[in-house]
Amino acid sequence: MPTLADVVDLLHAWYPPGTADSWDAVGLVAGDPSAEVERVMFAVDPTVEVAHEAVEWGADLLVVHHPLFLTPVSSVAADTPKGRTLHTLTAGGCALLAAHTNADQAVGGVSESLALALGLTDLAPIRPAPAAPLDKVVVFVPVGSADAVRAAMTEAGAGRLGDYDSCTWTGTGEGRFRPLDGATPAVGAVGDLEVVEEARVEAVVPRSRRTAVVRALLAAHPYEEPAFDVVPLADPGLAATGTGRVGRVEETTLEGFAARVGAALPATAHGVRVAGDPQRRVRRVAVCGGAGDFLLDELAHSDVDAYVTSDLRHHRAAEFLEHGGPALVDVAHWAAEWTWLPAVEARLQQALGDRVGTRVSTRCTDPWTFRP
């Protein structure tokens, strides 16, 4: 039977806490990492009702999307709302883990799960996650010393690309220089113009290793004053992770697509609200699980036909439509994010098999409960 630490490690590998927004509060909230885990329940919100459901089912771990302590509290006494949830779980021997904005952006995360639930294909992030900053280090070295310099650079961290290391490029040409008074040249003589066959060695370097790689090449280089370049590389925006998702659906009308959205999501009092011409053609769709009006400006002049998200405000939606942007499909926040729960449950089942029992809570924790 896996321990809580084993399960947490899996979830953190899929949804790294380091990718969460700086204001977020994710990770293991309560529980003994050495305790065994036999049952895991998944829910959107850590309400006291969800906590009771988890304990009554016998869950050892409750995984939620929304953090219990997103806003600070001064007390977790059992007569406070958050305290009731925490005490219910701990008294029942159930740990608590939150995966919030780190799960929003991930492959297999919230926005991707929503997109797949709506039938989107050819998915890509609306706003790709930034890649780790890279530099290219270029050095010019006599051909006979190129192997030593190249080896020193790669040993210091240059030339790592995915599952490959020692990745460099080399070309040859002529290096020209004249040693002046005071120089101690490794090649040539003071006052004489020297021509040397040199290799141009290039390697991509994580920016965090830039200084170490430059120091290594300088130490291995035979010249007194080596020539080298350090070139910052632009982010190509190719990350599979990132904010929201955009993809394609088989061509339909906005009215038909909205009906598909309503059928795919769990029922709520909020339902599905649509802004746009019912007969508008829909082929390309953007989605963002949770509150997504912060992406409106990016989508206003895109090739997207419809944008599915939650919590759209009156003025922002009206102004967006005035500029001829995509149609808007506003769904319940809870319903959109609930689509991630079966996906993460299936992922855990695949990783752990029958060693752990799982359950997705179908309890609606959307705050809007009815329409008169």
Side-chain angles (χ1 to χ4, degrees), residues 262-280:
L265 300 184
T268 60
H270 177 289
V272 178
R273 302 187 300 176
V274 185
D277 179 357
Q279 299 309 307
R280 175 175 180 159

Side-chain angles (χ1 to χ4, degrees), residues 20-295:
D21 290 339
S22 59
W23 49 263
D24 208 355
V26 302
L28 186 64
V29 179
D32 179 357
S34 65
E36 292 185 338
V37 172
E38 185 176 356
R39 291 185 171 188
V40 180
M41 194 176 91
F42 301 91
V44 174
D45 296 294
T47 64
V48 68
E49 293 82 10
V50 168
H52 281 299
E53 179 185 356
V55 169
E56 289 168 5
W57 178 63
D60 303 296
L61 171 63
L62 172 63
V63 177
V64 293
H65 182 49
H66 292 146
L68 179 63
F69 299 115
L70 185 58
T71 55
V73 296
S74 58
S75 170
V76 289
D79 58 354
T80 63
K82 294 185 184 299
R84 279 193 289 273
T85 294
L86 186 61
H87 279 263
T88 298
L89 292 172
T90 54
C94 183
L96 176 64
L97 181 142
H100 192 208
T101 53
N102 52 321
D104 286 332
Q105 301 192 50
V107 172
V110 176
S111 286
E112 187 167 299
S113 298
L114 173 59
L116 293 174
L118 301 184
L120 274 64
T121 59
D122 302 325
L123 299 181
I126 298 172
R127 182 190 294 172
L134 297 173
D135 296 323
K136 181 188 287 185
V137 174
V138 182
V139 61
F140 302 87
V141 58
V143 170
S145 301
D147 285 345
V149 171
R150 190 184 298 111
M153 292 172 63
T154 56
E155 181 68 22
R160 182 69 185 261
L161 298 174
D163 294 328
Y164 296 82
D165 67 9
S166 303
C167 302
T168 62
W169 182 90
T170 304
T172 58
E174 288 185 350
R176 294 172 180 264
F177 53 88
R178 188 198 315 271
L180 302 177
D181 290 341
T184 307
V187 178
V190 172
D192 294 340
L193 182 64
E194 190 69 29
V195 179
V196 180
E197 185 181 8
E198 292 184 340
R200 173 189 173 111
V201 179
E202 301 185 11
V204 173
V205 178
R207 191 155 299 156
S208 61
R209 300 298 301 166
R210 172 201 286 175
T211 299
V213 169
V214 171
R215 289 186 185 278
L217 77 85
L218 291 175
H221 204 291
Y223 285 176
E224 187 178 20
E225 296 289 348
F228 65 91
D229 298 327
V230 177
V231 182
L233 299 182
D235 185 348
L238 299 177
T241 59
T243 303
R245 291 295 185 271
V246 61
R248 297 188 177 279
V249 294
E250 185 175 348
E251 184 172 324
T252 183
T253 63
L254 178 59
E255 185 175 36
F257 177 69
R260 176 189 296 186
V261 173
L265 300 184
T268 60
H270 177 289
V272 178
R273 302 187 300 176
V274 185
D277 179 357
Q279 299 309 307
R280 175 175 180 159
R281 290 192 304 173
V282 173
R283 291 163 295 188
R284 192 159 171 79
V285 175
V287 305
C288 180
D293 63 359
F294 67 97
L295 290 172

Side-chain angles (χ1 to χ4, degrees), residues 292-304:
D293 63 359
F294 67 97
L295 290 172
L296 288 176
D297 291 340
E298 293 179 44
L299 296 170
H301 303 293
S302 69
D303 61 351
V304 167

